[in-house]
Amino acid sequence: MLRSRETRPLDPPESVRLGDIVLRNRLVTSSSLLGYGVANSPLLPYGMSPVSLFVPLSEFGAVTTRTLTVEPREGHFTTRDDWTLRELPGLLKRYGTVLRGTDSGFLNAFGWCNIGIDAYLRDYYPRTRDQRTIISLGGFSAEEFVTLVDRVNAAVPAGDIAAVEFNVSCHNVNFDFSTILRDVLDEAVPRSNHPVILKLSPDYDYLRNAQQAAAAGVSALTAINTVKALRLDPRTGTPWLANRYGGLSGRAVKPIALRVVSELREAGVTLPIIATGGIRTVADCREYFWAGADAVSLGSATWLASYPGYALAPLRALRVRRVLRAVRRYSPLPKRNAPSR
């Protein structure tokens, strides 16, 4: 169970409390874009946006990991992270089957490829202790989420991470998560020694799911996960992605994500909301705060670029640093009244 307020350690200086969650500030990173928070190779930082190599990750409110499962999972990609320069063309070809730029955004279908929770806790988490971490967890049953929570509890003392995030809404693993959500909330949330964040999809009944989350003791919500989408080759009809359908992210989903955050507040949801979707600038962050978000998360709109574009990663990182400085100075805005219907 979560520790009571009386037994929590004092918050670190300049921290931000969102209910049970303590962040260093209101700007976090979205799941998957920075892999496991550290790269094994400085030359080919597999799983991490090259832009992140020029940004102090320890200064973010929290860094969210790639979604981790009980066992290692290839998904539609690979778990390898030891690619050499000679193998780079093959790696880029693989990326082309699971990640494609589209109109004002990106389509991905990685399918939860990851090294598994045990390998992450053994090989990666100890090297990211300078960061505030949100560990993203994914499974196909309540039993799997219980196992994941128990393993995090055993390896990570309460208070050493910001939270665990339950990804019960991913579109590229071909599973109907609505069939297990209630059991996941009822069985896994009470077992966690760490605050739990539920990641919402705009393609499910997010208002009902948010209300169920609040009743189950979830500490916060992430809004939103990617939007289920499809692109076809107009000449052949062949799907762009190996999984046919993928998750749409980036600038294209910003109006959707803003709507979801606003509707959650209009529906009376009071849980803290970490908003994500198309955020690149301070103005984007401000829009989400006005909509009702308590924190904002940088995803593909910030960290992804075309492969030649990564040559400009140091310049892109300067923009990220500007956003980070601005959000660290942010004071909560007075909430606007919901519009009358």
Side-chain angles (χ1 to χ4, degrees):
M1 297 290 291
L2 294 176
R3 293 180 296 170
S4 66
R5 293 186 181 276
E6 289 73 22
T7 59
R8 291 193 190 107
L10 293 175
D11 296 350
E14 299 183 3
S15 64
V16 172
R17 180 176 287 282
L18 305 181
D20 294 316
I21 298 171
V22 178
L23 303 174
R24 289 179 176 166
N25 53 70
R26 296 177 189 272
L27 186 67
V28 305
T29 72
S30 302
S31 177
S32 296
L33 280 303
L34 303 187
Y36 311 112
V38 64
N40 284 331
S41 169
L43 187 61
L44 288 176
Y46 165 77
M48 294 187 69
S49 164
V51 179
S52 68
L53 301 182
F54 304 96
V55 178
L57 297 183
S58 62
E59 294 184 14
F60 280 84
V63 175
T64 308
T65 69
R66 177 185 299 277
T67 294
L68 296 152
T69 51
V70 174
E71 300 295 336
R73 179 181 167 87
E74 291 288 320
H76 308 301
F77 192 52
T78 179
T79 60
R80 279 190 60 187
D81 62 358
D82 57 351
W83 298 86
T84 65
L85 275 176
R86 180 171 53 85
E87 296 175 300
L88 183 58
L91 175 61
L92 296 183
K93 185 176 180 180
R94 281 175 176 254
Y95 267 114
T97 68
V98 295
L99 178 67
R100 298 286 295 272
T102 186
D103 310 307
S104 299
F106 294 89
L107 275 175
N108 90 84
F110 285 96
W112 279 358
C113 62
N114 74 99
I115 57 175
I117 188 65
D118 292 333
Y120 165 75
L121 292 170
R122 181 186 65 242
D123 300 331
Y124 288 87
Y125 173 68
R127 293 190 284 152
T128 60
R129 297 297 299 276
D130 63 323
Q131 301 171 14
R132 196 78 173 132
T133 300
I134 297 172
I135 300 178
S136 178
L137 305 176
F140 300 99
S141 66
E143 291 76 17
E144 289 187 15
F145 275 94
V146 166
T147 298
L148 289 163
V149 163
D150 286 347
R151 293 187 184 177
V152 174
N153 287 346
V156 182
D160 278 16
I161 59 174
V164 292
E165 179 182 78
F166 284 8
N167 185 352
V168 200
S169 55
C170 180
H171 287 302
N172 55 48
V173 292
N174 305 318
F175 184 78
D176 183 1
F177 289 100
S178 63
T179 62
I180 68 167
L181 179 61
R182 173 60 70 89
D183 289 341
V184 169
L185 294 173
D186 289 346
E187 297 178 29
V189 172
R191 296 181 71 96
S192 180
N193 291 340
H194 308 278
V196 175
I197 303 170
L198 179 66
K199 192 169 190 178
L200 298 175
S201 166
D203 295 317
Y204 292 104
D205 189 344
Y206 50 86
L207 295 179
R208 183 191 66 183
N209 293 348
Q211 291 159 354
Q212 290 180 349
V218 165
S219 295
L221 305 168
T222 295
I224 57 174
N225 208 331
T226 56
V227 179
K228 189 174 184 178
L230 170 69
R231 284 296 305 270
L232 304 173
D233 186 316
R235 296 166 299 177
T236 65
T238 304
W240 276 17
L241 301 179
N243 191 52
R244 184 176 179 86
Y245 299 107
L248 177 65
S249 63
R251 301 293 284 178
V253 306
K254 179 185 168 187
I256 299 172
L258 280 165
R259 184 207 78 210
V260 170
V261 172
S262 182
E263 288 184 342
L264 287 168
R265 292 306 187 212
E266 290 173 7
V269 174
T270 59
L271 286 175
I273 297 174
I274 301 172
T276 183
I279 298 173
R280 289 189 306 185
T281 67
V282 176
D284 294 328
C285 298
R286 190 178 298 116
E287 281 190 76
Y288 276 106
F289 289 137
W290 278 122
D294 299 278
V296 289
S297 183
L298 301 183
S300 62
T302 292
W303 303 113
L304 291 186
S306 63
Y307 296 116
Y310 282 137
L312 302 177
L315 296 180
R316 290 174 178 267
L318 291 176
R319 182 171 63 188
V320 178
R321 287 171 177 263
R322 286 196 296 270
V323 174
L324 178 58
R325 287 195 299 269
V327 175
R328 289 177 70 176
R329 297 193 300 267
Y330 166 79
S331 297
L333 297 164
K335 300 294 184 184
R336 286 183 168 178
N337 294 328
S340 59
R341 294 179 180 273

